[in-house]
Amino acid sequence: MIRKAIFAGLGASVALGAGVAQAQSSRDYISIVGSSTVYPFATVVAEQFGKSTRFKTPKIESTGSGGGIKLFCAGVGVQHPDITNASRAIKKSELETCAKNGVKEVVEVKIGYDGLSIAHSKAAKPVAMTRKEVWLALAKDVPDPKGGDAIVPNPYQTWNQINPSLPNAKIEVLGPPPTSGTRDAFVELVMEEGCDGFDAVKALKSDKKRHKAVCQTMREDGAFVEAGENDNLIVQKLEANPNAFGIFGYSFLDQNRDKVQGVAIEGVKPEFDLIASGKYPVSRPLFFYVKKAHVGVIPGLKEYIAEFTSEKSWGPDGYLSERGLIPMPTAERKQFAGSSNGLIAMKK
Protein backbone atom coordinates (compact mmCIF):
# COMPACT_ATOMS: atom_id res chain seq x y z
CA MET A 1 0.00 0.00 0.00
CA ILE A 2 0.95 3.62 -0.35
CA ARG A 3 1.18 4.93 3.18
CA LYS A 4 2.08 8.11 4.94
CA ALA A 5 5.59 7.75 6.29
CA ILE A 6 4.99 7.86 10.06
CA PHE A 7 7.11 8.65 13.09
CA ALA A 8 6.37 10.16 16.47
CA GLY A 9 5.50 13.84 16.13
CA LEU A 10 4.68 13.78 12.41
CA GLY A 11 2.02 16.43 11.79
CA ALA A 12 -1.38 15.55 10.35
CA SER A 13 -1.17 18.17 7.61
CA VAL A 14 1.03 20.99 6.43
CA ALA A 15 -0.10 24.41 5.31
CA LEU A 16 1.11 25.56 1.95
CA GLY A 17 4.07 27.91 2.36
CA ALA A 18 4.51 31.05 0.32
CA GLY A 19 6.91 29.25 -2.00
CA VAL A 20 4.36 26.54 -2.80
CA ALA A 21 1.54 29.06 -3.18
CA GLN A 22 3.57 30.73 -5.90
CA ALA A 23 4.68 27.45 -7.47
CA GLN A 24 2.11 27.46 -10.26
CA SER A 25 3.47 30.69 -11.69
CA SER A 26 7.11 30.06 -10.73
CA ARG A 27 7.61 26.44 -11.85
CA ASP A 28 5.44 24.68 -14.43
CA TYR A 29 7.18 21.29 -14.34
CA ILE A 30 7.72 18.48 -11.81
CA SER A 31 11.13 18.31 -10.12
CA ILE A 32 12.39 14.82 -9.25
CA VAL A 33 15.69 13.75 -7.66
CA GLY A 34 17.13 10.58 -6.14
CA SER A 35 18.13 7.00 -6.85
CA SER A 36 20.21 6.07 -9.89
CA THR A 37 18.46 2.67 -9.87
CA VAL A 38 14.95 4.17 -10.03
CA TYR A 39 16.13 6.89 -12.45
CA PRO A 40 15.65 4.89 -15.70
CA PHE A 41 12.15 3.81 -14.64
CA ALA A 42 11.16 7.34 -13.66
CA THR A 43 12.61 8.67 -16.92
CA VAL A 44 10.49 6.32 -19.01
CA VAL A 45 7.36 7.30 -17.07
CA ALA A 46 8.25 10.99 -17.41
CA GLU A 47 8.71 10.68 -21.17
CA GLN A 48 5.40 8.85 -21.55
CA PHE A 49 3.74 11.42 -19.31
CA GLY A 50 5.13 14.31 -21.35
CA LYS A 51 3.89 12.79 -24.62
CA SER A 52 0.42 11.79 -23.46
CA THR A 53 -0.65 14.79 -21.33
CA ARG A 54 -0.75 18.57 -21.60
CA PHE A 55 1.97 18.87 -18.93
CA LYS A 56 5.68 19.36 -19.42
CA THR A 57 8.03 16.39 -19.11
CA PRO A 58 9.34 16.26 -15.51
CA LYS A 59 12.95 17.17 -14.82
CA ILE A 60 14.79 14.22 -13.19
CA GLU A 61 18.24 14.25 -11.60
CA SER A 62 20.18 11.14 -10.57
CA THR A 63 21.63 12.14 -7.18
CA GLY A 64 21.57 8.82 -5.32
CA SER A 65 18.93 7.87 -2.74
CA GLY A 66 20.59 9.59 0.20
CA GLY A 67 21.42 12.72 -1.77
CA GLY A 68 17.90 12.91 -3.17
CA ILE A 69 16.25 12.56 0.23
CA LYS A 70 18.49 15.32 1.58
CA LEU A 71 17.38 17.67 -1.21
CA PHE A 72 13.74 16.60 -0.84
CA CYS A 73 13.73 17.18 2.92
CA ALA A 74 15.32 20.63 2.71
CA GLY A 75 11.97 22.39 2.61
CA VAL A 76 8.56 23.07 1.09
CA GLY A 77 8.26 25.34 -1.94
CA VAL A 78 9.08 25.76 -5.58
CA GLN A 79 12.85 25.73 -4.96
CA HIS A 80 12.68 22.18 -3.53
CA PRO A 81 11.98 18.86 -5.33
CA ASP A 82 8.46 17.44 -5.43
CA ILE A 83 9.50 13.77 -5.54
CA THR A 84 12.57 11.79 -4.56
CA ASN A 85 13.26 8.31 -5.93
CA ALA A 86 14.82 5.75 -3.57
CA SER A 87 16.19 2.24 -3.77
CA ARG A 88 15.74 1.88 -0.01
CA ALA A 89 13.12 2.95 2.50
CA ILE A 90 13.43 6.43 3.96
CA LYS A 91 15.00 6.45 7.44
CA LYS A 92 13.36 7.77 10.60
CA SER A 93 16.20 10.28 10.99
CA GLU A 94 15.56 11.56 7.46
CA LEU A 95 11.85 11.97 8.17
CA GLU A 96 12.75 13.92 11.30
CA THR A 97 14.94 16.22 9.17
CA CYS A 98 12.03 16.65 6.75
CA ALA A 99 9.70 17.64 9.60
CA LYS A 100 12.20 20.14 11.04
CA ASN A 101 12.33 21.83 7.64
CA GLY A 102 8.53 22.00 7.28
CA VAL A 103 8.07 18.87 5.16
CA LYS A 104 5.57 17.38 7.56
CA GLU A 105 3.70 14.95 5.30
CA VAL A 106 5.61 12.53 3.12
CA VAL A 107 3.82 9.83 1.13
CA GLU A 108 5.67 6.61 0.30
CA VAL A 109 4.98 4.89 -3.02
CA LYS A 110 6.42 1.42 -3.46
CA ILE A 111 6.78 0.73 -7.19
CA GLY A 112 8.15 -2.81 -7.43
CA TYR A 113 11.29 -4.85 -6.86
CA ASP A 114 14.83 -4.98 -8.12
CA GLY A 115 17.59 -7.55 -7.86
CA LEU A 116 20.98 -6.28 -6.76
CA SER A 117 23.48 -7.64 -9.28
CA ILE A 118 27.18 -8.35 -9.22
CA ALA A 119 28.21 -8.42 -12.86
CA HIS A 120 31.26 -8.73 -15.07
CA SER A 121 32.18 -8.71 -18.75
CA LYS A 122 30.33 -11.06 -21.05
CA ALA A 123 33.75 -11.92 -22.50
CA ALA A 124 34.79 -13.49 -19.16
CA LYS A 125 34.07 -17.01 -17.94
CA PRO A 126 30.81 -17.23 -15.91
CA VAL A 127 31.33 -17.01 -12.15
CA ALA A 128 29.33 -18.10 -9.09
CA MET A 129 29.95 -16.69 -5.60
CA THR A 130 28.52 -16.88 -2.13
CA ARG A 131 27.88 -13.83 0.05
CA LYS A 132 30.57 -15.09 2.43
CA GLU A 133 33.09 -14.99 -0.43
CA VAL A 134 32.00 -11.52 -1.52
CA TRP A 135 32.37 -10.26 2.04
CA LEU A 136 35.85 -11.78 2.35
CA ALA A 137 36.82 -10.03 -0.89
CA LEU A 138 35.51 -6.58 0.03
CA ALA A 139 35.57 -6.17 3.82
CA LYS A 140 38.28 -3.97 5.30
CA ASP A 141 38.94 -6.47 8.13
CA VAL A 142 38.32 -10.22 8.04
CA PRO A 143 39.00 -13.32 10.19
CA ASP A 144 42.65 -14.35 10.13
CA PRO A 145 43.08 -16.99 7.36
CA LYS A 146 45.57 -18.75 9.65
CA GLY A 147 42.75 -19.53 12.07
CA GLY A 148 41.64 -18.40 15.50
CA ASP A 149 39.33 -15.55 16.46
CA ALA A 150 41.57 -12.68 15.40
CA ILE A 151 40.20 -10.06 12.98
CA VAL A 152 42.97 -8.75 10.71
CA PRO A 153 43.34 -6.30 7.82
CA ASN A 154 42.11 -8.00 4.64
CA PRO A 155 45.02 -9.98 3.18
CA TYR A 156 43.25 -11.30 0.06
CA GLN A 157 44.61 -9.92 -3.21
CA THR A 158 43.14 -12.35 -5.74
CA TRP A 159 39.79 -14.17 -5.89
CA ASN A 160 41.30 -17.65 -5.93
CA GLN A 161 42.97 -16.97 -2.57
CA ILE A 162 39.43 -16.98 -1.14
CA ASN A 163 38.23 -19.99 -3.12
CA PRO A 164 40.38 -21.91 -5.65
CA SER A 165 37.36 -22.17 -7.97
CA LEU A 166 37.19 -18.38 -8.32
CA PRO A 167 39.29 -16.52 -10.93
CA ASN A 168 43.03 -16.16 -10.51
CA ALA A 169 42.66 -12.42 -10.91
CA LYS A 170 43.13 -9.31 -8.80
CA ILE A 171 40.10 -8.39 -6.71
CA GLU A 172 38.59 -5.28 -8.26
CA VAL A 173 34.94 -4.39 -7.71
CA LEU A 174 33.36 -1.13 -8.84
CA GLY A 175 30.41 0.00 -6.77
CA PRO A 176 28.27 2.93 -5.66
CA PRO A 177 29.19 5.59 -3.06
CA PRO A 178 27.74 5.82 0.48
CA THR A 179 24.99 8.21 -0.70
CA SER A 180 23.51 5.48 -2.90
CA GLY A 181 20.59 3.27 -1.91
CA THR A 182 22.28 0.51 -3.89
CA ARG A 183 25.27 0.78 -1.54
CA ASP A 184 22.95 0.59 1.49
CA ALA A 185 21.22 -2.47 0.05
CA PHE A 186 24.52 -4.14 -0.82
CA VAL A 187 25.81 -3.66 2.71
CA GLU A 188 22.58 -5.01 4.23
CA LEU A 189 21.86 -7.89 1.85
CA VAL A 190 25.38 -9.04 0.95
CA MET A 191 28.00 -7.77 3.41
CA GLU A 192 26.00 -8.25 6.63
CA GLU A 193 24.63 -11.61 5.51
CA GLY A 194 28.10 -12.79 4.48
CA CYS A 195 29.98 -11.70 7.58
CA ASP A 196 27.83 -13.57 10.08
CA GLY A 197 28.77 -16.83 8.44
CA PHE A 198 32.07 -16.72 10.36
CA ASP A 199 32.43 -17.71 14.01
CA ALA A 200 35.07 -15.02 14.64
CA VAL A 201 32.55 -12.35 13.56
CA LYS A 202 29.65 -13.88 15.46
CA ALA A 203 31.80 -13.67 18.57
CA LEU A 204 31.79 -9.87 18.22
CA LYS A 205 28.02 -9.53 18.62
CA SER A 206 28.37 -8.55 22.26
CA ASP A 207 30.14 -5.42 20.99
CA LYS A 208 27.55 -4.07 18.54
CA LYS A 209 29.67 -1.16 17.38
CA ARG A 210 32.66 -3.37 16.56
CA HIS A 211 30.45 -6.01 14.94
CA LYS A 212 28.81 -3.39 12.70
CA ALA A 213 32.17 -1.91 11.71
CA VAL A 214 33.62 -5.31 10.78
CA CYS A 215 30.55 -6.36 8.79
CA GLN A 216 29.92 -3.09 6.94
CA THR A 217 33.25 -1.35 6.35
CA MET A 218 34.56 -1.67 2.80
CA ARG A 219 38.21 -1.97 1.83
CA GLU A 220 40.10 1.21 1.01
CA ASP A 221 43.14 -0.34 -0.68
CA GLY A 222 41.82 -0.32 -4.26
CA ALA A 223 39.98 -3.66 -4.24
CA PHE A 224 36.68 -1.79 -3.91
CA VAL A 225 36.38 1.28 -6.13
CA GLU A 226 33.64 3.88 -5.66
CA ALA A 227 32.42 4.62 -9.18
CA GLY A 228 29.88 7.36 -8.44
CA GLU A 229 26.18 7.29 -9.25
CA ASN A 230 26.67 6.57 -12.96
CA ASP A 231 25.87 2.89 -13.52
CA ASN A 232 26.53 3.22 -17.25
CA LEU A 233 30.13 4.16 -16.40
CA ILE A 234 30.49 0.91 -14.43
CA VAL A 235 29.26 -1.07 -17.44
CA GLN A 236 31.85 0.68 -19.64
CA LYS A 237 34.64 -0.14 -17.19
CA LEU A 238 33.59 -3.81 -17.04
CA GLU A 239 33.71 -3.96 -20.82
CA ALA A 240 37.23 -2.56 -20.75
CA ASN A 241 38.45 -4.89 -17.97
CA PRO A 242 37.11 -8.50 -18.08
CA ASN A 243 38.66 -9.21 -14.66
CA ALA A 244 36.67 -6.49 -12.88
CA PHE A 245 33.22 -6.83 -11.31
CA GLY A 246 30.55 -4.19 -10.78
CA ILE A 247 27.56 -3.68 -8.48
CA PHE A 248 24.27 -2.26 -9.77
CA GLY A 249 20.56 -3.00 -10.07
CA TYR A 250 19.09 -5.78 -12.21
CA SER A 251 17.63 -3.29 -14.70
CA PHE A 252 21.11 -2.16 -15.78
CA LEU A 253 22.21 -5.77 -16.12
CA ASP A 254 19.13 -6.55 -18.19
CA GLN A 255 19.62 -3.53 -20.44
CA ASN A 256 23.29 -4.37 -21.06
CA ARG A 257 23.25 -8.14 -21.55
CA ASP A 258 25.20 -7.73 -24.78
CA LYS A 259 28.08 -6.38 -22.66
CA VAL A 260 27.88 -7.91 -19.18
CA GLN A 261 26.64 -11.02 -17.37
CA GLY A 262 25.38 -11.55 -13.84
CA VAL A 263 27.18 -13.54 -11.16
CA ALA A 264 25.18 -16.37 -9.58
CA ILE A 265 24.79 -15.76 -5.83
CA GLU A 266 24.31 -18.85 -3.65
CA GLY A 267 23.84 -20.74 -6.92
CA VAL A 268 21.01 -18.51 -8.21
CA LYS A 269 21.42 -16.18 -11.17
CA PRO A 270 19.93 -12.66 -11.24
CA GLU A 271 17.05 -13.37 -13.62
CA PHE A 272 13.63 -11.70 -13.80
CA ASP A 273 11.58 -14.76 -12.79
CA LEU A 274 13.99 -15.78 -10.03
CA ILE A 275 13.91 -12.30 -8.49
CA ALA A 276 10.11 -12.11 -8.76
CA SER A 277 9.71 -15.53 -7.10
CA GLY A 278 12.04 -14.61 -4.22
CA LYS A 279 14.55 -17.35 -5.08
CA TYR A 280 17.32 -14.88 -5.88
CA PRO A 281 18.72 -13.95 -2.45
CA VAL A 282 19.70 -10.34 -3.13
CA SER A 283 16.54 -8.39 -3.97
CA ARG A 284 14.98 -5.19 -2.61
CA PRO A 285 11.89 -2.97 -2.98
CA LEU A 286 12.04 0.34 -4.85
CA PHE A 287 10.17 3.52 -3.90
CA PHE A 288 9.48 7.13 -4.60
CA TYR A 289 8.42 9.71 -2.01
CA VAL A 290 5.96 12.54 -2.66
CA LYS A 291 5.80 15.89 -0.88
CA LYS A 292 2.07 16.00 -0.14
CA ALA A 293 2.05 19.79 0.19
CA HIS A 294 3.01 20.03 -3.50
CA VAL A 295 0.20 17.74 -4.77
CA GLY A 296 -2.46 19.81 -6.53
CA VAL A 297 -0.13 22.83 -6.57
CA ILE A 298 2.72 21.79 -8.86
CA PRO A 299 1.08 21.31 -12.28
CA GLY A 300 0.80 17.66 -13.31
CA LEU A 301 2.07 16.10 -10.08
CA LYS A 302 -1.07 14.09 -9.30
CA GLU A 303 -1.30 13.04 -12.96
CA TYR A 304 2.33 11.86 -12.95
CA ILE A 305 1.63 9.71 -9.89
CA ALA A 306 -1.42 8.28 -11.68
CA GLU A 307 0.71 7.40 -14.72
CA PHE A 308 3.42 5.71 -12.64
CA THR A 309 0.90 3.63 -10.65
CA SER A 310 -1.17 2.51 -13.66
CA GLU A 311 -1.23 -1.09 -14.89
CA LYS A 312 0.08 0.03 -18.29
CA SER A 313 3.17 1.29 -16.45
CA TRP A 314 4.00 -0.98 -13.50
CA GLY A 315 1.86 -4.03 -14.34
CA PRO A 316 3.26 -7.43 -15.45
CA ASP A 317 2.79 -6.44 -19.10
CA GLY A 318 3.57 -2.76 -18.54
CA TYR A 319 6.32 -0.79 -20.17
CA LEU A 320 8.42 -0.69 -16.97
CA SER A 321 8.69 -4.49 -16.77
CA GLU A 322 10.17 -4.35 -20.26
CA ARG A 323 12.90 -2.14 -18.75
CA GLY A 324 13.66 -4.55 -15.91
CA LEU A 325 11.31 -3.52 -13.08
CA ILE A 326 10.03 -6.59 -11.19
CA PRO A 327 6.28 -5.95 -10.70
CA MET A 328 4.62 -6.37 -7.32
CA PRO A 329 2.07 -9.20 -7.00
CA THR A 330 -1.44 -8.31 -8.24
CA ALA A 331 -2.94 -7.88 -4.76
CA GLU A 332 -0.10 -5.61 -3.67
CA ARG A 333 -0.37 -3.45 -6.80
CA LYS A 334 -4.11 -3.07 -6.26
CA GLN A 335 -3.53 -2.06 -2.67
CA PHE A 336 -0.97 0.57 -3.67
CA ALA A 337 -3.00 1.84 -6.62
CA GLY A 338 -6.09 2.23 -4.43
CA SER A 339 -4.20 4.35 -1.93
CA SER A 340 -2.66 6.31 -4.78
CA ASN A 341 -6.10 7.27 -6.07
CA GLY A 342 -6.86 8.71 -2.66
CA LEU A 343 -3.68 10.77 -2.72
CA ILE A 344 -4.37 12.03 -6.24
CA ALA A 345 -7.85 13.23 -5.30
CA MET A 346 -6.73 14.78 -2.04
CA LYS A 347 -5.87 18.26 -3.30
CA LYS A 348 -8.47 18.69 -6.07
Side-chain angles (χ1 to χ4, degrees):
M1 62 193 151
I2 295 180
R3 60 176 176 81
K4 293 176 186 176
I6 300 172
F7 67 98
L10 183 64
S13 184
V14 59
L16 300 183
V20 175
Q22 297 171 4
Q24 197 134 358
S25 60
S26 301
R27 175 153 60 79
D28 59 354
Y29 62 89
I30 300 165
S31 174
I32 304 171
V33 294
S35 166
S36 63
T37 300
V38 180
Y39 176 82
F41 303 133
T43 298
V44 174
V45 174
E47 290 172 352
Q48 179 66 25
F49 173 78
K51 291 176 184 176
S52 62
T53 72
R54 60 186 173 84
F55 302 104
K56 289 188 175 181
T57 301
K59 178 183 176 182
I60 307 176
E61 297 178 73
S62 177
T63 62
S65 296
I69 291 171
K70 184 177 181 180
L71 291 168
F72 177 84
C73 288
V76 172
V78 66
Q79 67 271 37
H80 303 291
D82 312 305
I83 292 175
T84 186
N85 300 320
S87 55
R88 61 163 173 82
I90 194 168
K91 300 173 183 177
K92 181 181 177 181
S93 60
E94 290 167 332
L95 281 172
E96 290 169 347
T97 299
C98 268
K100 287 176 183 177
N101 292 329
V103 184
K104 295 186 177 180
E105 259 188 317
V106 174
V107 179
E108 179 183 82
V109 184
K110 183 178 176 183
I111 65 169
Y113 296 92
D114 179 46
L116 193 60
S117 306
I118 299 175
H120 61 141
S121 169
K122 198 169 182 180
K125 182 180 177 181
V127 172
M129 299 178 184
T130 66
R131 283 176 284 186
K132 288 174 65 176
E133 290 166 348
V134 175
W135 181 76
L136 284 177
L138 298 182
K140 183 177 181 180
D141 298 312
V142 298
D144 191 338
K146 298 175 183 177
D149 293 332
I151 302 294
V152 300
N154 196 323
Y156 299 110
Q157 298 300 312
T158 61
W159 289 99
N160 67 337
Q161 290 175 345
I162 296 170
N163 183 336
S165 69
L166 293 175
N168 181 12
K170 179 184 176 183
I171 297 170
E172 183 178 348
V173 180
L174 297 99
T179 54
S180 169
T182 299
R183 173 73 165 267
D184 291 335
F186 182 79
V187 168
E188 177 184 350
L189 299 173
V190 178
M191 298 292 284
E192 290 184 3
E193 290 293 327
C195 77
D196 276 335
F198 297 90
D199 291 338
V201 179
K202 287 180 183 178
L204 298 174
K205 284 197 170 181
S206 59
D207 184 346
K208 291 183 179 180
K209 187 175 180 180
R210 174 64 172 152
H211 179 266
K212 180 179 179 180
V214 169
C215 286
Q216 296 186 2
T217 305
M218 310 292 282
R219 296 176 72 162
E220 299 172 341
D221 59 359
F224 177 75
V225 181
E226 289 185 5
E229 297 286 356
N230 189 341
D231 293 332
N232 286 313
L233 179 62
I234 295 179
V235 171
Q236 293 170 15
K237 289 183 178 293
L238 299 186
E239 269 195 293
N241 181 5
N243 289 326
F245 292 83
I247 300 165
F248 41 72
Y250 168 79
S251 61
F252 275 88
L253 170 64
D254 190 52
Q255 292 167 26
N256 292 280
R257 287 193 181 275
D258 58 327
K259 303 170 185 174
V260 295
Q261 60 182 319
V263 170
I265 303 295
E266 321 292 359
V268 183
K269 293 183 177 180
E271 301 287 353
F272 186 97
D273 292 341
L274 295 173
I275 298 169
S277 68
K279 291 181 180 177
Y280 182 68
V282 192
S283 61
R284 56 177 172 171
L286 302 177
F287 307 89
F288 66 80
Y289 291 90
V290 182
K291 197 168 291 176
K292 187 178 157 188
H294 287 200
V295 176
V297 179
I298 299 297
L301 185 54
K302 55 185 180 290
E303 290 83 1
Y304 173 82
I305 298 166
E307 175 66 29
F308 211 129
T309 59
S310 66
E311 282 296 291
K312 66 179 180 179
S313 169
W314 70 0
D317 299 317
Y319 56 78
L320 290 181
S321 68
E322 295 174 0
R323 299 300 182 103
L325 181 71
I326 312 298
M328 292 178 284
T330 301
E332 194 174 13
R333 288 198 317 279
K334 286 182 178 178
Q335 202 171 19
F336 271 78
S339 298
S340 177
N341 290 336
L343 168 68
I344 293 161
M346 200 173 291
K347 290 289 185 179
K348 285 183 179 179

